[in-house]
Amino acid sequence: MPLILALDEGTTSARAALYDEQGRRIAMESEPIPCRYPRPGWVEQDAREIWGAQLGSARRVLASAGEAASSLAAIGLTNQRETAIVWERRTGEPVAPAIVWQCRRTADYCAALAASGAAAKIAERTGLVIDAYFSASKIRWILDHVPDAPRRARDGELLFGNVDTWLVWKLTDGAAHVTDPSNASRTMLMDLSAGEWDEELLALFDIPRAMLPRIVPSSGAAGVAVGEHLGAEIPVAGIAGDQQAALAGQACFRPGLSKNTYGTGCFALLHTGARRPVSRNRLLATRAASLDATAQYAVEGAVFIAGAAIQWLRDKLGLIAAAAESEALAASAGSTGGVYFVPAFVGLGAPHWDQNARGLLTGITQSTGRPEIVRAALESIAYQTRELVEAMEADSGERLTELRADGGASANNFLMQFQADILGRPIVRPADIETTALGAAYLAGLAVGVWTSASELEQFWRAERIFEPRLSEDRRESLYAGWRRAVARCR
Ligand code: ADP
């Protein structure tokens, strides 16, 4: 029976999962990836460690399932997006640390770019809002700080890639320097409608065309992993950025379907089909992972800090020993008693896009304790999601009937119930919340003929639990009004 290997390279870990023909996960392994914070607001990883963790988890998942590489029909790859890596074509050695998507080192550069009046053109061309989040300014930073890099890049000695490109290049031993439209649409260098690198944007950021990868379909032959890595040659047949892969893994293949992933950040995506969305509410227009060669789009709202707020309670405040403890503690509080926590640790993403906002805890009284603070942190994830959903609905003129949830923090029942309450809509949690890896497997399996259509994949999707809203409208709106006041204060 042919198996699909999904490689899911996230911000905190590299995972590898095996799927059978029924889309069932039969094994999963992961290895952590260290993050470094050399200065406030800077976030780096070592590209060699990313590759090592990804290869290690892939080998381990085959071993733990007792499978040989020869039983693999294809590899599907999904990755943390926007993170920028530049390496030497000849040696495969990175010339600088990977600049991670959360890194704020180019915030001033981006502010100057916005002040120069480039925002309208960039939005029209790329669907994006000027922000240090996207790859272009990070590539610029590397070119400006590595000796002789601009010349070497022009001469084709240096290559750029997001993490997908880097991993495919490593897997194929340098034979394939490629990316897919869902990743390329996050660089700020791609013409979103054309699906090609844009010469004017390359000139604006002064980035040589020669260092960029070729854009290939999300589902299709991208290269062949050489035999030395896993024990057999395997086609790499699917590539998508993590959020677009999760949209596919949630079987959201048609316009109007949406999901929200509760991980380090929160990412809500609404599929808009072949229609390129234009946001009037500061959301992003992006490429969905298309199942064929046609262009498919999504509108996206990105919140930078969601589950990361829970990590902060655990690692910096020591209020909890493990993320999962937050559920019972929050439920024990009954309410926050008017406490709001705005986790604007790295500014605010959509729909505010405020690089200078910082975190805030308001409404504290003598009765505020651990449960209230932990509850306020979880509630902040749900409030931020409501802001995204409202912006999406205002953009599309349509009301979402339900929201599909996934990601690590979607395991938290308190959070899911509060989300349903504060949104006033049901939240549907699927049986498999590892939708990112699943989506990558779908893209690869479709390309090699393990599956043949979206409708076949839609049948694999199953709800595990539906959280129905229980709060009265008055209570919901008064809680949300308090959140809006807190956000206004942190800006
Ligand atoms: P990523 O893919 O972004 O690395 P995951 O989807 O693995 O993230 O989710 C991990 C995040 O979810 C962490 O920030 C963690 O704090 C949070 N998290 C995990 N489990 C829970 C839980 N039960 N309750 C709340 N947050 C959780």
Side-chain angles (χ1 to χ4, degrees):
M1 188 162 83
L3 298 175
I4 305 287
L5 172 64
L7 304 181
D8 175 8
E9 195 289 318
T11 311
T12 51
S13 68
R15 291 172 278 226
L18 288 174
Y19 293 89
D20 69 13
E21 283 173 309
Q22 301 304 310
R24 284 179 303 227
R25 191 173 70 234
I26 59 171
M28 185 156 197
E29 294 288 337
S30 85
E31 287 193 14
I33 300 170
C35 247
R36 296 182 186 86
Y37 308 94
R39 297 188 197 176
W42 288 35
V43 189
E44 295 180 350
Q45 289 179 326
D46 184 332
R48 290 163 300 196
E49 290 176 340
I50 292 176
W51 163 238
Q54 190 61 80
L55 180 62
S57 62
R59 287 178 171 157
R60 289 220 329 260
V61 82
L62 286 171
S64 69
E67 294 288 347
S70 53
S71 56
L72 297 178
I75 295 174
L77 176 71
T78 178
N79 56 292
Q80 54 166 313
R81 308 170 301 172
E82 299 99 8
T83 297
I85 303 173
V86 176
W87 67 94
E88 284 188 345
R89 183 194 293 275
R90 193 176 59 78
T91 63
E93 283 297 304
V95 298
I99 304 183
V100 173
W101 58 275
Q102 292 164 317
C103 188
R104 298 273 111 198
R105 78 183 62 191
T106 56
D108 289 346
Y109 174 93
C110 290
L113 190 63
S116 78
K121 162 159 275 174
I122 287 179
E124 178 265 312
R125 202 60 62 82
T126 67
L128 306 177
V129 172
I130 295 177
D131 193 89
Y133 175 31
F134 305 102
S135 312
S137 68
K138 301 180 195 288
I139 305 172
R140 185 67 251 149
W141 192 93
I142 295 175
L143 291 173
D144 284 339
H145 290 82
V146 173
D148 208 20
R151 181 201 61 79
R152 298 185 70 201
R154 268 194 312 276
D155 290 349
E157 293 174 23
L158 300 184
L159 300 178
F160 156 74
N162 292 121
V163 174
D164 61 319
T165 302
W166 166 247
L167 291 177
V168 176
W169 198 84
K170 286 305 230 184
L171 283 166
T172 61
D173 210 11
H177 183 227
V178 296
T179 187
D180 88 301
S182 73
N183 275 292
S185 68
R186 317 295 295 188
T187 57
M188 202 168 265
L189 298 172
M190 191 183 88
D191 179 326
L192 185 66
S193 303
E196 277 302 332
W197 303 122
D198 184 273
E199 293 300 336
E200 254 184 277
L201 292 174
L202 292 177
L204 178 69
F205 288 98
D206 196 12
I207 291 173
R209 177 76 178 73
M211 71 189 304
L212 299 184
R214 191 161 55 87
I215 303 174
V216 301
S218 303
S219 179
V224 176
V226 298
E228 77 190 65
H229 296 315
L230 297 172
E233 288 192 353
I234 308 154
V236 180
I239 304 176
D242 52 8
Q243 300 312 322
Q244 289 95 336
L247 191 66
Q250 287 270 30
C252 298
F253 300 120
R254 298 172 204 282
L257 292 176
S258 62
K259 66 88 193 175
N260 190 28
T261 299
Y262 298 83
T264 303
C266 252
F267 299 86
L269 272 76
L270 169 70
H271 206 294
T272 62
R275 185 181 61 80
R276 176 188 158 159
V278 177
S279 179
R280 290 174 311 278
N281 295 283
R282 312 203 79 203
L283 299 175
L284 307 174
T286 203
R287 281 295 189 104
S290 179
L291 304 184
D292 51 34
T294 63
Q296 297 283 306
Y297 297 89
V299 60
E300 172 175 325
V303 161
F304 298 139
I305 302 292
I310 306 304
Q311 256 169 297
W312 179 77
L313 296 180
R314 185 191 66 194
D315 300 339
K316 294 286 188 205
L317 296 194
L319 291 188
I320 47 176
E325 259 179 40
S326 62
E327 180 174 335
L329 207 53
S332 76
S335 89
T336 66
V339 173
Y340 287 92
F341 178 24
V342 187
F345 299 163
V346 291
L348 288 168
H352 309 288
W353 297 105
D354 185 341
Q355 306 200 89
N356 300 314
R358 285 298 177 265
L360 171 80
L361 197 56
T362 70
I364 304 169
T365 66
Q366 272 161 319
S367 60
T368 304
R370 262 173 81 222
E372 288 76 19
I373 292 175
V374 170
R375 183 173 174 124
L378 284 171
E379 289 187 354
S380 78
I381 301 175
Y383 288 126
Q384 293 184 95
T385 297
R386 173 161 168 182
E387 292 180 330
L388 298 182
V389 170
E390 285 193 336
M392 263 177 192
E393 292 182 331
D395 266 358
S396 69
E398 282 172 38
R399 191 178 150 85
L400 297 188
T401 49
E402 60 172 40
L403 188 64
R404 295 183 176 184
D406 56 49
S410 73
N412 189 308
N413 294 317
F414 167 80
L415 172 60
M416 294 295 99
Q417 183 58 52
F418 190 76
Q419 184 69 81
D421 288 344
I422 215 63
L423 204 54
R425 251 65 67 76
I427 305 298
V428 185
R429 187 169 63 193
D432 186 353
I433 61 170
E434 294 290 348
T435 52
T436 308
L438 182 59
Y442 285 169
L443 294 169
L446 278 172
V448 297
V450 171
W451 300 300
T452 52
S453 67
S455 33
E456 190 180 357
L457 302 176
E458 279 163 358
Q459 289 169 15
F460 296 155
W461 188 88
R462 243 178 356 95
E464 175 255 334
R465 187 161 165 191
I466 300 176
F467 296 85
E468 295 287 349
R470 294 191 304 219
L471 223 52
S472 72
E473 180 157 2
D474 275 3
R475 180 80 182 129
R476 171 161 69 236
E477 295 313 315
S478 87
L479 284 171
Y480 189 56
W483 164 259
R484 299 194 14 172
R485 283 193 296 276
V487 170
R489 284 192 189 131
C490 91
R491 300 194 58 186

